[in-house]
Amino acid sequence: MLKSKKVLVTAGPTREYLDDIRFIGNKSSGRQGAEIARCLLELDADVTLIIGPVNLELSSLGKVIQVETAIEMDYAVNEAGPFDIAICAAAVGDWRPKEKAKTKIKKTSKGKPPVLELVENPDILKNLCISENRPKLVIGFAAETDNLLANARSKLKNKGCDWIVANNVSAMSQNMGGEENEVIIVKRDQEIKLERQSKEAIAKLICKKIVDEISA
Ligand code: CTP
């Protein structure tokens, strides 16, 4: 049904390195994005999954590009494009240490912890939306612990994407890193709530909406 459509899925966390062995990361398992990629493959799409470090079996997911950092993910997205459809499900680290230390950062005898200076990472989703070859349909996620709908709505506007999948990621929900999810697909003029269910089932419902949109 999505035959010959080139589709990008970003998924998983990124790691932003302080030195060779330490990084800033997040709880994303990559499962929701991987399930979306699997479902799109079953719909005959030409899928490229660009995914951060995860503990998932990726061999059945077609074209997979594994990355670690936000900078690597951004580069991989630009290299692999252009795409007809993009689904940005990755939990991209917003900041990286300004400089990665060349050798392991050591404790000092004075017990003073190092001060981390951070710089902002490229916004992969936003850049896709303003690119010359903008995909026809761009879907972002909004990972929120509070004010879910209001924050998702402002992301829809600020990022310039077509839909935002609003995702409650508070620790209590156990959605990020967990087996199940519950989301609201936010469009400019519509909100569609997908009740709590497996990430596979959520992926199927999102992909069904994508097929409906593309064939409309
Ligand atoms: N995203 C991205 N590149 C970034 C940051 C986010 O592509 N550097 C994408 C995510 O993949 C997601 C959307 O932007 O589709 C929203 O990500 P989220 O983490 O919810 O929000 P942020 O843009 O990081 O904003 P904030 O942290 O302020 O909520």
Side-chain angles (χ1 to χ4, degrees), residues 8-12 33 48-51 73 77 87-92 124 128:
L8 165 73
V9 181
T10 70
T48 302
L49 172 63
I50 301 181
I51 190 162
M73 187 174 277
V77 166
I87 300 120
C88 293
V92 183
I124 300 166
L128 262 177

Side-chain angles (χ1 to χ4, degrees), residues 21-53:
I21 53 169
R22 303 186 181 101
F23 55 81
I24 302 169
N26 63 68
K27 273 174 69 170
S28 169
S29 64
R31 197 177 303 275
Q32 187 62 79
E35 290 299 345
I36 291 172
R38 187 187 316 284
C39 189
L40 291 165
L41 277 171
E42 283 164 11
L43 293 164
D44 278 339
D46 174 4
V47 183
T48 302
L49 172 63
I50 301 181
I51 190 162

Side-chain angles (χ1 to χ4, degrees), residues 10-12 70 73-74 87-95 120-128 139-144 151 155 159 161 163-165 167 169 176:
T10 70
M73 187 174 277
D74 185 47
I87 300 120
C88 293
V92 183
D94 287 329
W95 310 279
E120 202 164 297
N121 273 326
D123 191 319
I124 300 166
L125 171 63
K126 202 170 180 176
N127 288 344
L128 262 177
I139 304 172
F141 272 63
E144 310 294 343
N151 286 335
K155 273 180 194 162
K159 306 260 186 182
C161 54
W163 307 352
I164 281 278
V165 179
N167 203 181
V169 295
M176 189 178 255

Side-chain angles (χ1 to χ4, degrees), residues 3-215:
K3 205 170 172 61
S4 79
K5 295 282 180 236
K6 233 185 129 181
V7 188
L8 165 73
V9 181
T10 70
T14 63
R15 289 179 176 174
E16 308 302 329
Y17 280 93
L18 279 61
D19 59 21
D20 277 355
I21 53 169
R22 303 186 181 101
F23 55 81
I24 302 169
N26 63 68
K27 273 174 69 170
S28 169
S29 64
R31 197 177 303 275
Q32 187 62 79
E35 290 299 345
I36 291 172
R38 187 187 316 284
C39 189
L40 291 165
L41 277 171
E42 283 164 11
L43 293 164
D44 278 339
D46 174 4
V47 183
T48 302
L49 172 63
I50 301 181
I51 190 162
V54 292
N55 259 323
L56 297 173
E57 178 51 57
L58 301 173
S59 59
S60 58
L61 293 176
K63 271 188 249 171
V64 179
I65 302 172
Q66 288 178 268
V67 296
E68 282 200 271
T69 66
I71 294 280
E72 287 169 9
M73 187 174 277
D74 185 47
Y75 180 82
V77 166
N78 290 326
E79 283 293 295
F83 298 97
D84 300 304
I85 303 169
I87 300 120
C88 293
V92 183
D94 287 329
W95 310 279
R96 65 181 184 279
K98 187 171 179 198
E99 274 171 25
K100 182 185 156 203
K102 291 190 179 62
T103 53
K104 186 184 169 203
I105 302 168
K106 304 299 278 183
K107 277 186 287 195
T108 62
S109 53
K110 291 180 188 136
K112 203 172 167 236
V115 177
L116 276 185
E117 195 179 345
L118 302 174
V119 291
E120 202 164 297
N121 273 326
D123 191 319
I124 300 166
L125 171 63
K126 202 170 180 176
N127 288 344
L128 262 177
C129 289
I130 56 173
S131 69
E132 228 171 85
N133 292 312
R134 185 194 191 278
K136 192 164 177 281
L137 178 63
V138 184
I139 304 172
F141 272 63
E144 310 294 343
T145 56
D146 55 338
N147 295 329
L148 180 64
L149 271 177
N151 286 335
R153 283 236 159 260
S154 59
K155 273 180 194 162
L156 184 69
K157 204 166 152 209
N158 297 339
K159 306 260 186 182
C161 54
D162 301 298
W163 307 352
I164 281 278
V165 179
N167 203 181
N168 173 0
V169 295
S170 63
M172 211 171 61
S173 75
Q174 295 187 349
N175 290 336
M176 189 178 255
E179 300 291 324
E180 293 184 330
N181 212 354
E182 66 199 299
V183 302
I184 304 170
I185 301 175
V186 180
K187 303 185 185 182
R188 279 179 205 103
D189 54 357
Q190 199 187 8
E191 284 163 15
I192 305 160
K193 184 161 173 46
L194 306 182
E195 299 296 340
R196 187 168 192 80
Q197 52 201 302
S198 70
K199 288 187 173 175
E200 182 187 354
I202 292 278
K204 288 207 164 111
L205 292 170
I206 292 173
C207 291
K208 165 95 177 46
K209 300 279 172 214
I210 293 173
V211 171
D212 291 348
E213 178 75 18
I214 291 297
S215 27

